[in-house]
Amino acid sequence: MRRGIAATALVAALALAATACGGDTEDTGSEGKKASGELSGTVTWWDTSTVGSEDIVFKKLAEDFKTLHPKVTVKYVNVPFGEAQNKFKNAAQAGAGAPDVIRSEVAWTPEFADLGYLAPLDGTAALKDEKDFLAQAAASTQYNGKTYAVPQVIDSMGIFYNKKIFKEAGVEVPKSVDELKNVAKTIKGKTGKTALYLRGDDAYWFLSFLYGEGGNLVDASNKTVTIDNAAGVKAFGVVKDLVTSGAAKTDATDGWNNMQSAFKDGKVAMMINGPWAIADTYAGKEFADKANLGIAPVPAGSAYQGAPQGGHNLAVYAGSKNLDASYAFVEYMSSAATQAKVTEQLSLLPTRNSVYTQPAVAQNEIVSFFKPVVDKAVERPWIPETGSLFAPLVTEYTKVLTGQASPEQGAKSTGEAYRKLLKDWK
Ligand code: TXT
């Protein structure tokens, strides 16, 4: 009898100990470390990657975390890029429904950190071999002297072109806006096709032309709004002229799908895009033979040649009830081994220097093109407001491209909106 009672008491004590250490408790995500140090519980991850191509790879990688930590269940949730930022802020503010880990776009990270919604990662298991990260990729994870995320992918933009159409028209890839307009005339004459699809509902597609005229959104070092200076006005004129001259076609809405369809179906010869578009583009009939896709630097303007830096980080929600398992998941998803798999399957750019030396990565043609582009890509100031600069910009960019505003008006209105947003800036 005693043994029975003793045994029962022992089982109860162990169960209590396990619960107290956040062992196999309910899906509440309570502290995920058993007394044995083994991680357990649930980690909910909001991924924003493109559905139908990138998400397939990232979901599988997330599921494979279980091989390292059998007691941890990763709940993979794909949240559309256009909704995730506000959805996370609303949930974090309400203290309900936020994920443990979020794929945080480079401009979201300083904003989320400033709001106190992210767990600082310094000294945690999330950060391993920090020195291996590309400095430009790590920059957006730093805020007020602390590290609030781990860089997952870095990217920039280039011209994607259809080699078959270029051959049929007998033209070379344009290196400048002026060459682009000349090439466009020949392509139209020889093939009847429009040369370029210029996305009109996302201002990220404006930045290469803004930089090309020597412009920028702001000058953070001098706390000065610069979008409405002469270079900014000129850049709005350049993109408007691409459309009115017939060199480029655009849409005010549904730009991603219209751009991808036009390019994948061979209706346009070029588009400007980034590594995140590769997997979807290869699914197009024109690129069943992958060799038909060429990639080249974005065209130079009158003053400069360069594309913007973008990318995504992995951040841990400050209110997570399973920080230990979340740190371990972030470290796993940004590890050299995982990054190499992502590059192999999606041609996305790693954020670790060591991964670029792996033979399979070094031989990846997309990576070989984009790495030098990323190395010289134009960084934005990683301040909480950076992400907010795009909303007023896209409104005016679309209006200028569709003839509803002049370049002067577009630049002026954007500048006014920025000075309202950036209170003490000139
Ligand atoms: C909010 C900015 C650039 C790629 C997949 O995910 C909206 O959320 C703000 O940050 C730039 O860097 C590049 O990787 C691919 O995996 C809210 O609901 C907000 O996002 C961004 O900062 C990106 O670097 C993924 O690779 C509204 O209420 C803001 N949106 C910039 O975003 C690159 O991002 C791929 O991303 C709120 C938005 O402006 C963004 O451009 C991105 O392409 C991704 O798909 C109202 O104000 C307007 C601008 O779009 C560019 O698309 C997307 O394709 C605005």
Side-chain angles (χ1 to χ4, degrees):
M1 185 60 176
R2 268 186 75 72
R3 258 176 64 93
I5 291 173
T8 306
L10 177 63
V11 167
L14 280 175
L16 187 63
T19 308
C21 299
D24 275 340
T25 51
E26 278 310 298
D27 240 354
T28 55
S30 61
E31 268 311 311
K33 192 171 254 181
K34 285 170 161 303
S36 60
E38 188 186 10
L39 295 175
S40 63
T42 302
V43 171
T44 299
W45 174 38
W46 283 4
D47 178 33
T48 61
S49 67
T50 307
V51 172
S53 52
E54 296 178 313
D55 69 322
I56 298 162
V57 173
F58 285 120
K59 186 170 188 293
K60 177 70 173 62
L61 284 166
E63 287 163 353
D64 289 349
F65 184 63
K66 212 164 217 356
T67 57
L68 294 175
H69 301 283
K71 296 284 182 196
V72 177
T73 302
V74 175
K75 202 169 155 201
Y76 175 91
V77 181
N78 190 283
V79 182
F81 176 77
E83 297 168 16
Q85 184 188 20
N86 277 2
K87 193 171 174 176
F88 179 72
K89 286 198 290 189
N90 294 339
Q93 194 173 31
D100 297 291
V101 176
I102 179 163
R103 189 190 198 219
S104 175
E105 205 269 344
V106 287
W108 305 352
T109 307
E111 184 193 20
F112 292 162
D114 182 57
L115 290 166
Y117 296 159
L118 301 183
L121 303 181
D122 309 88
T124 74
L127 283 183
K128 252 194 197 148
D129 308 326
E130 286 171 81
K131 300 223 177 334
D132 190 22
F133 288 120
L134 302 178
Q136 200 154 331
S140 66
T141 68
Q142 305 299 305
Y143 185 69
N144 279 355
K146 289 186 178 172
T147 305
Y148 283 96
V150 180
Q152 182 202 32
V153 289
I154 188 169
D155 56 45
S156 187
M157 303 180 101
I159 293 180
F160 287 40
Y161 64 96
N162 184 320
K163 291 179 182 173
K164 196 171 62 186
I165 299 176
F166 270 67
K167 190 161 181 249
E168 184 187 341
V171 292
E172 298 297 319
V173 184
K175 292 186 174 56
S176 70
V177 170
D178 290 342
E179 282 182 22
L180 171 58
K181 290 187 64 184
N182 291 332
V183 161
K185 285 194 188 97
T186 308
I187 289 174
K188 178 70 86 176
K190 292 276 179 71
T191 71
K193 294 174 192 281
T194 299
L196 172 72
Y197 187 96
L198 178 59
R199 187 171 177 184
D201 65 341
D202 186 327
Y204 200 52
W205 270 259
F206 174 53
L207 295 189
S208 300
F209 296 98
L210 176 63
Y211 302 148
E213 298 311 316
N216 208 327
L217 301 176
V218 295
D219 173 355
S221 51
N222 298 316
K223 287 200 164 190
T224 307
V225 172
T226 54
I227 183 63
D228 52 357
N229 65 18
V233 172
K234 193 171 179 192
F236 275 108
V238 165
V239 291
K240 178 183 172 68
D241 176 58
L242 283 175
V243 176
T244 50
S245 68
K249 66 179 293 197
T250 190
D251 294 288
T253 58
D254 202 19
W256 173 261
N257 292 323
N258 293 333
M259 170 175 64
Q260 290 299 104
S261 304
F263 187 66
K264 284 155 69 177
D265 297 344
K267 294 201 171 60
V268 293
M270 286 175 272
M271 66 175 177
I272 289 174
N273 223 323
W276 64 90
I278 291 290
D280 181 68
T281 300
Y282 279 151
K285 70 176 175 62
E286 286 290 306
F287 305 101
D289 171 9
K290 292 184 175 177
N292 189 38
L293 173 64
I295 302 182
V298 294
S302 60
Y304 182 78
Q305 187 283 330
Q309 181 209 326
H312 303 266
N313 303 316
L314 294 172
V316 176
Y317 170 46
S320 165
K321 295 190 176 64
N322 204 346
L323 288 170
D324 287 324
S326 301
Y327 296 147
F329 179 68
V330 162
E331 189 278 320
Y332 157 76
M333 286 300 287
S334 59
S335 66
T338 300
Q339 290 200 6
K341 286 178 188 165
V342 169
T343 300
E344 187 189 335
Q345 297 177 61
L346 294 171
S347 294
L348 297 181
L349 271 70
T351 57
R352 287 185 177 278
N353 283 298
S354 62
V355 181
Y356 287 93
T357 57
Q358 295 190 24
V361 174
Q363 288 150 25
N364 182 307
E365 191 190 353
I366 305 299
V367 172
S368 306
F369 168 76
F370 272 109
K371 179 63 169 63
V373 171
V374 159
D375 289 345
K376 66 165 280 196
V378 178
E379 278 197 70
R380 282 164 281 151
W382 304 123
I383 54 177
E385 298 85 354
T386 287
S388 306
L389 299 178
F390 280 80
L393 180 63
V394 72
T395 300
E396 298 307 322
Y397 170 63
T398 306
K399 282 161 70 175
V400 169
L401 280 190
T402 54
Q404 299 168 66
S406 68
E408 294 73 12
Q409 287 162 337
K412 182 171 181 289
S413 303
T414 309
E416 285 167 357
Y418 282 7
R419 288 186 185 88
K420 283 200 188 100
L421 186 73
L422 301 164
K423 295 269 180 302
D424 56 346
W425 287 37
K426 285 180 292 202

